[in-house]
Amino acid sequence: MRQTMPTSNEDARALDLATKVADLLEQLDALQPGSVQAGPGRISGPGLEIHQGPDGWTVRTSR
């Protein structure tokens, strides 16, 4: 599949979304400082894991 160069609008949108994600991760980390960890295909926080699977991103909670 051929990839195209992003437009300035796409770059601006990506920056906006990334900024929002960073803010949400900061809020999540504030619940239990130092608890948020990110790795390939997953983000974990206090009592949960956000996981990338075949059907997209899902959230699992600790039992």
Side-chain angles (χ1 to χ4, degrees):
M1 173 180 271
R2 184 174 166 244
Q3 292 183 329
T4 60
M5 296 298 290
T7 66
S8 61
N9 286 344
E10 290 170 327
D11 286 344
R13 178 74 175 137
L15 178 60
D16 180 55
L17 290 171
T19 301
K20 289 176 182 177
V21 169
D23 182 54
L24 290 170
L25 290 173
E26 180 126 359
Q27 290 178 48
L28 185 60
D29 193 60
L31 297 173
Q32 190 174 346
S35 65
V36 174
Q37 303 290 319
R42 65 180 274 289
I43 300 168
S44 62
L48 60 89
E49 180 178 278
I50 303 166
H51 175 78
Q52 185 179 25
D55 297 324
W57 291 91
T58 59
V59 178
R60 294 186 265 187
T61 58
S62 299
R63 295 182 182 172

